[in-house]
Amino acid sequence: MFHFSWLRAFVGRLCLSFLLAVLLLPHFRALAAPSIQASLAETLRVGFETRPRSVDPRFVATDANSQYLEPLLHLPLVGFSESGEPQEIVAEKIQFTDPLTVVVKIRDGIRFAQGRSIDVDDVVATYKFVCFGALGLPPSPRRGAFERVKNIEKVSPSEMRLVLSEPDASLISNLTVGILPKEALSRKPDDLVGLGFESGPFLLKKAADDEWIIQRNGKYTGAPFGGMLPRVENVVFKILTDNNTRYAALLKGEIDLLQNSVDSDKVVEFQNRRAGEFEVQLKTSDSTAFLAFNFRHKLFQDVRVRRAIALAMNRAEILKFTLQGLGQEANSMFPPGHAFHFENKNSAEHNLREAELLLDLAGLKDSDGSAGPQPRATFNIKVPLNRERIAVAKAIAGQLKKVGLKVKVEVLEFNTFMKHLNNGNVQAWIAPWTGYKDGDHLHFVFHSKRTPPSGANRGFYSNAMLDELLDKAKSEASLEQRRRLYQEAQAIVSQELPYIFLWHRVGHVVHSRRVSGFRIFADGRYTSLTQVQVR
Amino acid sequence: MTLFKNMRHALLRDTVTKLSMLVVVLWLCVALLPHALPELLPLDIDLPKTRMAPQWNLSEPSGWFGYDSVGTSVFYQVLSGAGVSLSVGLCTVLLSFAIGIPLGALAGSGRRYFDVLITRLMDILLSFPPLVLPIALTALLGGGFLNVVVALTVSGWIGSAKLVRAEFRALDKREFVEAARALGATPRRVMFVHMLPHAASSLLVHASFSLAGVILAEAGLSFLGLGLGDEHPSWGASLSEARAYLLESPHLAIFPSLALLSLVLALNFLAESLRASLDPKAGSA
C-alpha cells in the first residue's frame, strides 16, 4: 500500500493543476486578446432603443437603427448630403441616357476590408440580388423600391447599366444599398460578420441581442472622397429597451450618447439641470409621428369616423404636456422646408362638437351621452414598448373618450409590434416615419400595391386616384412636375385621412462631456461617429 | 361554533389587530366603490394636470395625491387599484383552495400512489423561485384578469395542499376517524365531513397569509407590465410608472406604495392574530 501513495499524491496534484488551469485559462486568454473594454478612451458607447433587425445590405428592412448602421459598414452607390440631396459615393457618375436607361460609373480604388477593390461585378451582383433574389435565399425586403428595374448588366469594366420597364424618377435616391463582394451573396442572411466584406469606415465585430460592436476599419479608403477614418477604435451599441434604464445608464456613465431615445422631459432636465456633465443638441428632424388605421377594420372604412377622430384629438395639448413642446404639429407627411412639403389647408382642428356630429352621421350614436358608460365604438391602438409613445396613446385615448369612443391601448415589444403591423393584425397604431428623402416615400406608404412585404401600406389603404398620381410622379422626370403631383397626392391623403399626422419631432442628442465631435442630422444618421473623440 | 368564537376572540384581542381589521374592512369597502358607483372615481386624462403635486383642497379630492404623467388623479387610481388587488387576491386564494384542498386530501388519504404523484408534482413546482412561474405564464398567455389569476394559482395551490395533506396524515389514526370508518363511512365522507373541519382553522390562517402574498405578487406582475392591462388601474402598474419620476414627482410612488403597504401589513397582522388564537400549539390565546 505504501508504495502507491506517491502515485496517489501525483494524480491528486495533476488533477488540481488541471482544475486550476481550466479555471484560470479564460482569464489568461482575456489578458492576451485585445479587449474591446481595454481602453475606455477608445470606445464610444451608444444606447439603442431596439436591436437593429439586420445590417446585411440585402435584408435591411424599415427599422431606423438598421438603416443608420448600414452605411457605416457597407458603402452604397449613393448617399445623401445634409440637405437631403443625393450624393455619389461608390458611384462616380450616374447618368440617365434615356428615360429607361441609367448608366452608373463605379469609382476606382474603394476597397473591401478583405483588401480587394469594389468592382462593377460586385455592384451588379448586389443589385441583381436585391431586385431579382437568389435561389435558396429569402427575397430582399428592398425589392419593392426597384420594381421597375427590368435588367442590370455590366457594360464595361467600370460601368453598369440599369434598364427600366417604366421611367422611375426616384431610382437614384433608392441606390442606397450597401455594396457586397459578389462571393458574399450566396451566404445566408446576416452571415457576414468577421469576413472583411465591409467597405465603410467600420467593421461589424459583434451582433448580439444585448449589444452590437463596430470597430474602426483600418483599411477604409473613403477618406479621399469625403469620408473620414474614424477616430475612435470601437463603438459599442448597447440595446436598452427600457426608457428608465437608458436614462440611468447615461447618468451613471455606462453609455456616452443617446440620440432620439431619451424622453422629452429628461431632455429638458439634461438641458436645465445637468448642463455641466452633459451636452444636448437639438435639431428639427425629418420625422413624422402619425396615428394610422387598418382599412380592413370596418369602423375605419368610413372617412367620417377618421375625420371625427382627427377632430377629437388635441395634438397641441399632447405636444405641450407630454412631449414638452419638442416638436411641431404635423399636417402632412413632410415637414416645412422639405422639398415635397404640402401645406395642408384642410387640417382638422380640435373640435369636439363637430367630431360628435360626424360620428352621429356615421351611425355611431351615443345613447347615454359622452359621460355614460356605453361607448359609441371601441377599438384598440397598438404601440411599441416606449414610455413616451404609451403616454401619447393614453392621452389620445383620453381625448377620444370625450366623444364617446373607447380606446384600449395595447403595448407590445418592438419586434412583436412590427410583426403585428406587417401581418395586418392591428386596428390602429402610432409610429413615426424618419429619414425619408424623396416624395416617393408616399408611394411606399400609401400605394395600394405596396402592402407588406413589398411596401409599408400596412393599413391596406386603397385609392385608385392616389395610385395613379403616385405612379405618374414616380415616372415624371421634371422635379417641378413631381412636386405638383405629390402636392395633389397629399391633398387626397389630407381628405381621406389614412393617417392622422401628429407632429414632426425635434431630434435630440444627449451625450457626456467626454464625447466631442458628434453632430446631429435631421434624418438621425450616425455618420458623424467617424469624427467623434472620447476623452 | 368554536372556530367562529375563536376567530372573534382573535380579531378583538388587541389594538393592532383591531386597527388591522379596520384597515382591511376599509379597503374592502373601497374595492367595492368602482363597481357600485363608477362615477365616483373618474380616471379621466387631463393633460394640463400632468404630474401636478398633491393639493390638500377639501373640495377637490382628485388632487389630494397629485396627478400622474397623463394628468389622471393618483387618489382615484389608488382607490380603484384596491378593487384590482383584492379581487385578484380573493379569486386566486379561492381557486388555489379549490385545487389544493382536494389534491392535499387525496395525498393525505393514505393511498401511496396518489401521495407520491401529488407530492412530486408539488416538489417540481416548488423548485421554481416564487414569481418565476407566474411571470413565465403571463408572458406566454398575456395579461388580463383570468390569466393573472390562473398564473398565480399554478403555484398558489401548493401551500393549501401541503397543509391539508399534513393535517390528514396526522388525523388518520385518531379515534374519531377510526370510529367513523368502523360505522361504515365512505372514504370521501371521512375526509370531507370528519377530517376537513379539523384543518379549517389552519386553512383560515393560511388564507390570510396567502391573500397578502397574492396581492404582492399581483403588484409585482403589474410592475413588470404583465398584470391586468392598462384599463385596470393597479398599484403595481402605478409604481412602475412612478420609477421614471422618483426624484421630480415622488408622490407618484409614495401613495400607491402606502396603499400596498397598509393592506399587506394589515392582512399579515390579522393572519398572525388568527394563528395565535386558533393554533392550539401557540398557547397564547
Side-chain angles (χ1 to χ4, degrees):
Chain A
M1 287 294 285
F2 179 70
H3 62 277
F4 283 117
S5 63
W6 66 270
L7 185 64
R8 219 167 34 220
F10 176 74
V11 171
R13 278 176 199 157
L14 198 69
C15 289
L16 195 66
S17 310
F18 179 73
L19 196 68
L20 271 173
V22 166
L23 287 173
L24 292 176
L25 192 65
H27 300 280
F28 286 124
R29 281 182 60 187
L31 284 175
S35 168
I36 295 293
Q37 303 296 333
S39 166
L40 266 181
E42 297 213 326
T43 302
L44 175 75
R45 296 154 307 167
V46 179
F48 261 8
E49 190 178 342
T50 54
R51 181 190 191 278
R53 292 168 81 191
S54 169
V55 291
D56 181 334
R58 299 168 295 171
F59 301 103
V60 167
T62 51
D63 71 302
N65 287 344
S66 303
Q67 291 180 356
Y68 293 146
L69 285 188
E70 187 197 5
L72 295 175
L73 302 168
H74 305 280
L75 293 181
L77 287 176
V78 168
F80 292 94
S81 67
E82 195 171 348
S83 58
E85 296 298 317
Q87 206 173 34
E88 287 89 357
I89 297 182
V90 173
E92 191 177 323
K93 194 177 170 193
I94 301 175
Q95 197 179 9
F96 272 94
T97 54
D98 63 66
L100 297 179
T101 313
V102 185
V103 175
V104 182
K105 188 172 191 301
I106 309 301
R107 199 184 290 270
D108 195 25
I110 304 177
R111 291 180 184 279
F112 293 114
Q114 60 181 204
R116 190 169 70 69
S117 290
I118 295 183
D119 61 29
V120 73
D121 291 322
D122 298 315
V123 183
V124 168
T126 303
Y127 274 90
K128 273 192 168 173
F129 186 102
V130 171
C131 297
F132 312 123
L135 210 62
L137 286 166
S140 171
R142 302 175 113 163
R143 69 188 185 284
F146 301 101
E147 63 185 3
R148 293 184 178 187
V149 175
K150 202 168 68 179
N151 192 22
I152 303 167
E153 57 195 5
K154 177 182 174 179
V155 288
S156 79
S158 64
E159 284 181 326
M160 67 181 271
R161 181 164 50 212
L162 291 114
V163 182
L164 308 177
S165 56
E166 290 172 69
D168 185 353
S170 63
L171 181 75
I172 292 178
S173 59
N174 286 330
L175 296 177
T176 53
V177 179
I179 305 301
L180 287 171
K182 51 186 174 293
E183 61 270 24
L185 296 164
S186 56
R187 300 189 77 87
K188 286 182 207 156
D190 297 303
D191 184 21
L192 307 176
V193 183
L195 298 168
F197 294 151
E198 295 90 342
S199 53
F202 290 96
L203 307 171
L204 182 62
K205 299 307 285 184
K206 185 183 174 188
D209 283 341
D210 59 340
E211 68 176 15
W212 282 46
I213 300 174
I214 58 174
Q215 194 176 44
R216 173 165 47 201
N217 177 3
K219 293 176 184 164
Y220 177 55
T221 48
F225 53 90
M228 227 175 149
L229 203 63
R231 294 181 178 178
V232 284
E233 180 63 29
N234 303 295
V235 182
V236 178
F237 295 94
K238 288 190 181 280
I239 318 300
L240 305 167
T241 52
D242 180 65
N243 300 41
N244 295 331
T245 313
R246 280 196 302 279
Y247 167 70
L250 188 61
L251 272 188
K252 285 165 65 184
E254 287 168 7
I255 52 174
D256 304 308
L257 186 146
L258 283 173
Q259 177 166 227
N260 295 332
S261 46
V262 184
D263 293 336
S264 303
D265 49 351
K266 303 296 181 197
V267 173
V268 174
E269 187 196 320
F270 277 114
Q271 262 184 322
N272 297 341
R273 288 171 38 196
R274 299 184 188 275
E277 307 149 73
F278 296 93
E279 188 183 324
V280 177
Q281 294 181 40
L282 300 175
K283 191 179 179 79
T284 307
S285 68
D286 290 346
S287 156
T288 310
F290 57 87
L291 169 69
F293 305 108
N294 185 346
F295 281 72
R296 287 179 175 175
H297 193 265
K298 201 177 163 214
L299 180 69
F300 302 123
Q301 287 168 1
D302 190 332
V303 69
R304 290 169 298 189
V305 175
R306 303 195 297 274
R307 180 152 289 277
I309 290 172
L311 287 164
M313 281 164 46
N314 187 343
R315 292 170 301 159
E317 196 178 72
I318 300 175
L319 202 51
K320 184 177 175 189
F321 294 105
T322 310
L323 304 176
Q324 314 301 315
L326 289 175
Q328 65 179 112
E329 275 185 67
N331 296 316
S332 61
M333 178 66 86
F334 306 111
H338 191 280
F340 295 98
H341 170 69
F342 167 68
E343 193 52 52
N344 182 4
K345 304 270 190 322
N346 192 30
S347 169
E349 296 301 325
H350 178 56
N351 187 333
L352 292 179
R353 183 77 203 105
E354 205 178 322
E356 283 175 328
L357 276 173
L358 278 171
L359 289 171
D360 285 343
L361 286 173
L364 301 171
K365 302 275 183 198
D366 197 358
S367 50
D368 57 356
S370 56
Q374 289 305 317
R376 294 173 190 262
T378 304
F379 66 96
N380 67 11
I381 296 180
K382 288 187 179 174
V383 285
L385 188 58
N386 172 301
R387 195 160 55 83
E388 206 161 74
R389 237 184 277 177
I390 297 168
V392 165
K394 279 185 182 174
I396 289 174
Q399 290 173 347
L400 297 187
K401 194 180 165 192
K402 290 178 186 164
V403 292
L405 292 173
K406 186 178 175 187
V407 178
K408 186 184 167 197
V409 177
E410 199 173 331
V411 182
L412 299 168
E413 183 272 326
F414 183 75
N415 284 325
T416 315
F417 172 73
M418 290 306 296
K419 216 176 276 176
H420 281 218
L421 284 196
N422 288 328
N423 293 340
N425 179 17
V426 63
Q427 293 178 356
W429 71 97
I430 295 173
W433 280 117
T434 55
Y436 36 67
K437 298 288 183 308
D438 193 80
D440 192 48
H441 181 66
L442 297 168
H443 192 280
F444 181 61
V445 174
F446 294 123
H447 195 285
S448 61
K449 284 185 183 161
R450 301 299 293 276
T451 53
S454 63
N457 184 357
R458 292 162 179 145
F460 303 95
Y461 171 64
S462 175
N463 181 311
M465 212 195 302
L466 182 72
D467 285 356
E468 197 186 323
L469 280 169
L470 293 174
D471 284 335
K472 259 190 202 168
K474 200 171 170 64
S475 304
E476 180 59 56
S478 150
L479 182 63
E480 270 316 302
Q481 283 299 319
R482 292 186 74 212
R483 276 196 185 129
R484 188 185 57 75
L485 289 164
Y486 284 129
Q487 293 282 317
E488 285 177 34
Q490 289 184 86
I492 293 177
V493 170
S494 73
Q495 291 285 341
E496 287 270 286
L497 293 171
Y499 277 15
I500 297 173
F501 295 104
L502 301 175
W503 39 75
H504 306 294
R505 289 297 304 275
V506 170
H508 48 76
V509 169
V510 184
H511 64 76
S512 122
R513 294 270 176 201
R514 289 176 64 226
V515 175
S516 59
F518 190 88
R519 273 187 63 211
I520 184 171
F521 288 86
D523 57 6
R525 69 176 84 164
Y526 281 83
T527 44
S528 68
L529 282 181
T530 53
Q531 297 152 41
V532 166
Q533 280 182 302
V534 184
R535 281 200 302 277
Chain B
M1 281 309 283
T2 320
L3 177 68
F4 291 108
K5 210 169 136 190
N6 285 346
M7 266 177 66
R8 205 180 61 191
H9 179 242
L11 297 178
L12 299 174
R13 67 201 293 257
D14 56 34
T15 319
V16 173
T17 315
K18 282 179 201 163
L19 267 177
S20 303
M21 188 68 199
L22 189 71
V23 170
V24 172
V25 170
L26 212 65
W27 278 124
L28 274 171
C29 296
V30 166
L32 293 172
L33 262 182
H35 302 284
L37 298 159
E39 66 280 5
L40 272 187
L41 303 177
L43 294 170
D44 292 335
I45 287 166
D46 191 359
L47 289 179
K49 290 179 176 167
T50 298
R51 286 193 282 125
M52 206 181 262
Q55 286 166 337
W56 307 109
N57 183 353
L58 275 179
S59 62
E60 200 181 349
S62 66
W64 287 353
F65 291 179
Y67 296 88
D68 75 356
S69 61
V70 285
T72 305
S73 160
V74 176
F75 180 60
Y76 293 153
Q77 270 185 354
V78 167
L79 296 189
S80 305
V84 170
S85 290
L86 280 166
S87 53
V88 169
L90 288 169
C91 289
T92 305
V93 170
L94 286 176
L95 192 60
S96 298
F97 274 31
I99 297 168
I101 291 173
L103 285 178
L106 266 179
S109 65
R111 289 179 197 161
R112 190 167 158 68
Y113 47 90
F114 278 134
D115 191 22
V116 171
L117 197 74
I118 293 166
T119 315
R120 290 295 86 82
L121 179 66
M122 289 194 288
D123 288 343
I124 290 168
L125 290 173
L126 279 174
S127 66
F128 291 96
L131 257 184
V132 167
L133 263 184
I135 288 173
L137 279 170
T138 42
L140 191 76
L141 302 171
F145 185 84
L146 190 66
N147 289 348
V148 169
V149 169
V150 167
L152 292 171
T153 304
V154 164
S155 51
W157 63 271
I158 300 167
S160 52
K162 278 174 87 94
L163 194 79
V164 171
R165 177 182 174 272
E167 289 281 351
F168 276 31
R169 283 173 75 94
L171 295 171
D172 195 45
K173 299 290 174 211
R174 293 275 294 273
E175 292 82 356
F176 70 95
V177 176
E178 295 285 0
R181 282 193 189 120
L183 287 169
T186 60
R188 194 187 301 169
R189 187 175 168 79
V190 171
M191 277 198 284
F192 293 105
V193 176
H194 297 280
M195 290 160 90
L196 190 60
H198 285 79
S201 54
S202 309
L203 282 171
L204 195 69
V205 174
H206 178 71
S208 311
F209 280 121
S210 293
L211 188 57
V214 170
I215 286 170
L216 273 180
E218 184 278 324
L221 287 179
S222 296
F223 184 84
L224 296 172
L226 300 167
L228 269 63
D230 277 336
E231 67 270 38
H232 302 282
S234 152
W235 294 338
S238 300
L239 285 173
S240 175
E241 198 193 318
R243 275 185 312 156
Y245 308 106
L246 277 180
L247 295 178
E248 308 98 300
S249 310
H251 64 273
L252 296 183
I254 289 171
F255 294 106
S257 305
L258 284 177
L260 191 61
L261 180 83
S262 65
L263 181 57
V264 171
L265 208 62
L267 281 169
N268 276 323
F269 277 133
L270 271 186
E272 191 54 43
S273 289
L274 280 174
R275 193 194 60 76
S277 297
L278 303 178
D279 184 359
K281 287 170 198 150
S284 57

